[in-house]
Amino acid sequence: LDKVLAKVEPKSDFRIDGTTITITTPERAFFTVEHDIRGPAAKAESLGVKGSVFRVADQAQRAALLVDRLVTTLSLPQPVVGETFEVLNGTRLVIRATGVRHTEFVGVMGSFTRLGDVAVTTQCKLYEVDDAFYKKIKKAKRLRIEDEEKLLLQGKLAQGVPLAQYMAKQTLLVTGDEVSVDNGHMTTLLAKQAVHQCLPSPQQFRAGQKELQTFFTGLVLNGVLEVSPDRRLIHVALTEKGTELDEIRKVKDLGLRIIEHPGKGQEVAPAKDIAEIPILNETKHTRTIDLPDGGTRVVALHYRPRSLEEKKRWLVLVITARIVMEEEERRFLEGYLENAMPALVADVLSNPRLKTTRDYCGTPGDKRFALVKSDAWTWPKDFQPKIKGFDLTDASPKGQRLLGIRIDRFQWATSGLEVHVTFVNAGGSDNGQAPGGCTLRYSARSDDERWKVELMDR
């Protein structure tokens, strides 16, 4: 279409009417398109803002930020006469423009969405190490990204030593949860804290509060994770917050206390309580770490509790991070699901635990089944499973009940690929209704030779 417009004289544009494309003058090329903007408006990166500006903005304000950025990006020296924008409920953007301008808006909106699709998955481990190991990590020189990527492929540290071999000799203290965080956002990477209690403080006594004080000591590691523009690096702004207990100081509350005498009023008297004040030593250290996508870094921490100092031991953090792009991740998931489908359908049809459920949604004794599409998954047209004793057929609203198999959800899990399969009636109701359906949870994984599926629960 661009090539055609480039050859048409005088200057032309296009308009879409249903399924018809009309090449005409720019003045007559206006038409209206409505866009659902809930996806891009939910991501700070799509809006070009971060921090509190994004957090405090409501749906309408976020929509306004998105539209402002869109219009500014494609602004012309002069306003386009007849071009209009309208935001409805903070969720829909209605644009009236020419065909060429609509194409530009769609392209920019897509780029905003891709920016918001970037996230980082990370996991950390906290180790206790000896003095020699700590100094070696502390003195390690920063490498070029190209060299780090080569070592990453070899599974080695910056010192050229295999990572697994290096860390197997150290004492693992805590393994952090695997967390996923949007690009540019902060998350708690790992925390190891002890809970303490002591007597109420003087302020608590004076307020008539007699509950014990609760306070925490230990280490909290937070990080702001940001992906570089070329998507090769992950910048981690790492913050260590360490808290140590120096002493619990006992003090006599010398203030005044109001004492209630039932039926006789109040009395002001000197306090005689023994209160406690925990004296805490708090430290904070921030630094920036760069990791290649999928890479691992061993970081020498500054926080050193007194118990380790006495043993001449230190703490190091092993951090692994991977860039996740939702669209790319979904393609990987869909590829794995396609490979697992034959084994999945075979188990769904033959698993003896599911016989009663199959008979409820289908017809007992009927060996036919249908593959039903959902919002999450459409079965490939070329997928024709050959399951011994069973026949694939099309769904039909007539006749007897017909067992329908639908996939409503699939995602990564610790057990492999987690798939939510639902049995429904894909046929008629001549032999009775089968309202609703039954959802099953499967795990699927590959051992490089074949796919194995397991029914997790009902």
Side-chain angles (χ1 to χ4, degrees):
L1 187 58
D2 286 338
K3 291 180 179 178
V4 171
L5 291 174
K7 295 179 179 180
V8 175
E9 293 291 345
K11 184 179 179 181
S12 301
D13 210 311
F14 71 92
R15 181 181 70 247
I16 298 177
D17 302 294
T19 58
T20 302
I21 297 177
T22 303
I23 296 177
T24 182
T25 62
E27 294 76 17
R28 296 182 177 181
F30 284 86
F31 61 100
T32 300
V33 175
E34 183 176 297
H35 302 270
D36 185 336
I37 58 174
R38 285 174 293 183
K43 300 285 187 177
E45 293 75 16
S46 299
L47 308 184
V49 297
K50 292 183 181 179
S52 60
V53 175
F54 178 78
R55 288 194 299 271
V56 302
D58 58 27
Q59 182 68 38
Q61 290 169 327
R62 292 180 181 182
L65 288 168
L66 178 67
V67 174
D68 179 70
R69 191 180 184 199
L70 176 68
V71 174
T72 301
T73 301
L74 291 174
S75 63
L76 298 173
Q78 297 290 332
V80 179
V81 177
E83 189 172 272
T84 62
F85 304 87
E86 185 179 14
V87 181
L88 303 177
N89 302 324
T91 61
R92 290 174 289 156
L93 172 61
V94 182
I95 302 177
R96 176 173 173 77
T98 67
V100 170
R101 289 284 283 173
H102 276 301
T103 304
E104 294 173 349
F105 289 127
V106 169
V108 173
M109 191 85 74
S111 68
F112 290 170
T113 301
R114 286 190 292 275
L115 282 173
D117 281 345
V118 178
V120 178
T121 297
T122 181
Q123 186 173 41
C124 294
K125 295 181 179 181
L126 185 67
Y127 286 85
E128 178 186 318
V129 301
D130 57 35
D131 194 65
F133 182 91
Y134 181 85
K135 289 179 179 178
K136 192 166 189 176
I137 296 299
K138 188 87 171 173
K139 294 178 181 179
K141 295 181 180 180
R142 182 174 297 219
L143 299 178
R144 296 183 309 154
I145 178 61
E146 293 79 11
D147 295 330
E148 284 219 57
E149 288 173 334
K150 289 179 182 178
L151 289 172
L152 167 63
L153 295 174
Q154 299 170 11
K156 294 180 178 180
L157 289 170
Q159 292 82 3
V161 179
L163 178 63
Q165 173 187 329
Y166 225 75
M167 301 314 300
K169 301 176 182 178
Q170 312 309 319
T171 303
L172 177 63
L173 298 179
V174 183
T175 298
D177 296 333
E178 183 175 272
V179 295
S180 182
V181 58
D182 286 339
N183 183 27
H185 288 223
M186 187 191 78
T187 186
T188 296
L189 302 171
L190 182 145
K192 187 177 188 301
Q193 295 174 286
V195 182
H196 306 269
Q197 287 189 312
C198 67
L199 295 177
S201 67
Q203 292 80 4
Q204 285 178 281
F205 277 123
R206 291 165 194 162
Q209 300 171 358
K210 297 184 178 181
E211 297 84 4
L212 294 176
Q213 293 187 72
T214 301
F215 61 95
F216 298 82
T217 61
L219 175 67
V220 176
L221 294 166
N222 294 323
V224 177
L225 293 92
E226 188 167 4
V227 178
S228 63
D230 60 6
R231 298 186 180 180
R232 293 177 65 189
L233 277 177
I234 301 166
H235 305 292
V236 183
L238 178 67
T239 300
E240 303 174 36
K241 293 182 180 179
T243 306
E244 283 281 291
L245 175 63
D246 279 350
E247 64 171 312
I248 296 180
R249 187 174 298 167
K250 293 183 180 295
V251 296
K252 187 174 182 179
D253 185 6
L254 301 178
L256 297 177
R257 175 76 51 79
I258 298 177
I259 302 175
E260 294 282 351
H261 296 287
K264 297 181 180 181
Q266 299 178 335
E267 176 190 358
V268 178
K272 298 180 181 180
D273 300 299
I274 299 298
E276 290 186 335
I277 302 175
I279 307 301
L280 302 177
N281 180 20
E282 297 179 333
T283 60
K284 183 177 180 180
H285 184 269
T286 301
R287 80 192 79 175
T288 300
I289 303 164
D290 291 337
L291 289 89
D293 180 20
T296 299
R297 175 68 59 80
V298 181
V299 183
L301 298 182
H302 285 255
Y303 172 70
R304 191 186 193 191
R306 194 177 299 111
S307 58
L308 290 187
E309 191 173 356
E310 292 170 353
K311 297 188 298 181
K312 296 183 179 180
R313 306 279 287 180
W314 297 82
L315 294 175
V316 299
L317 179 73
V318 176
I319 177 171
T320 301
R322 179 172 63 91
I323 299 171
V324 177
M325 288 171 278
E326 292 180 12
E327 184 178 345
E328 181 181 88
E329 197 78 358
R330 182 171 179 83
R331 286 201 298 269
F332 282 131
L333 275 170
E334 290 174 346
Y336 280 110
L337 180 56
E338 285 193 16
N339 292 330
M341 283 190 308
L344 183 66
V345 173
D347 192 87
V348 162
L349 292 174
S350 60
N351 194 316
R353 293 172 56 192
L354 302 177
K355 182 179 184 307
T356 302
T357 310
R358 289 194 296 266
D359 289 346
Y360 169 76
C361 294
T363 297
D366 187 357
K367 296 299 183 179
R368 298 176 306 137
F369 69 97
L371 301 177
V372 181
K373 71 176 183 178
S374 69
D375 292 338
W377 179 255
T378 299
W379 297 91
K381 293 182 180 180
D382 58 353
F383 178 60
Q384 301 291 321
K386 305 296 182 182
I387 312 297
K388 187 176 180 180
F390 294 89
D391 296 315
L392 175 64
T393 187
D394 293 330
S396 171
K398 299 180 180 180
Q400 296 186 330
R401 295 192 306 272
L402 173 66
L403 179 63
I405 303 172
R406 188 179 73 205
I407 292 179
D408 289 328
R409 184 179 177 187
F410 52 98
Q411 62 189 18
W412 296 121
T414 54
S415 58
L417 180 64
E418 182 179 300
V419 186
H420 293 215
V421 182
T422 301
F423 281 160
V424 296
N425 175 20
S429 57
D430 289 356
N431 58 336
Q433 299 280 350
C438 178
T439 299
L440 320 165
R441 189 166 66 94
Y442 271 88
S443 70
R445 59 188 182 278
S446 172
D447 61 2
D448 295 330
E449 294 182 2
R450 64 190 183 92
W451 278 85
K452 296 180 180 180
V453 297
E454 181 182 358
L455 177 62
M456 302 298 290
D457 56 32
R458 300 281 297 277

